[in-house]
Amino acid sequence: MSRFISKILRHSPEVIGIRVEREGGWADVNKLIDGISKRRYSFNADGSKIRANQGHSIDFGDF
């Protein structure tokens, strides 16, 4: 996750639809989290659980 966030903030904020300020490279935290969540993750109804939207390689039969 750290590498993904670094890539977004340093190279391609448009991938998740956020803007980075010219002065200092700051970005809005809530917009960053929302942008990441909308594309890669889903939350349950009360926001207490998270899951990946795509690319599961886990055999859920093992759990």
Side-chain angles (χ1 to χ4, degrees), residues 7-23:
K7 179 181 177 187
I8 294 299
L9 293 175
R10 293 179 180 164
H11 307 291
S12 51
E14 71 281 354
V15 168
I16 63 167
I18 66 168
R19 300 182 121 203
V20 175
E21 296 175 1
R22 288 183 187 263
E23 282 283 325

Side-chain angles (χ1 to χ4, degrees), residues 4-5 7 18 31 37 39 46 49 59 61:
F4 178 68
I5 292 172
K7 179 181 177 187
I18 66 168
K31 289 180 181 179
S37 298
R39 291 185 173 47
D46 68 5
K49 295 181 182 179
D59 180 0

Side-chain angles (χ1 to χ4, degrees), residues 10-60:
R10 293 179 180 164
H11 307 291
S12 51
E14 71 281 354
V15 168
I16 63 167
I18 66 168
R19 300 182 121 203
V20 175
E21 296 175 1
R22 288 183 187 263
E23 282 283 325
W26 298 102
D28 183 280
V29 173
N30 290 323
K31 289 180 181 179
L32 173 70
I33 292 169
D34 288 346
I36 291 170
S37 298
K38 289 178 183 174
R39 291 185 173 47
R40 293 185 176 253
Y41 308 101
S42 297
F43 294 93
N44 67 347
D46 68 5
S48 64
K49 295 181 182 179
I50 189 170
R51 69 175 181 185
N53 285 330
Q54 302 175 16
H56 289 97
S57 60
I58 299 170
D59 180 0
F60 290 102

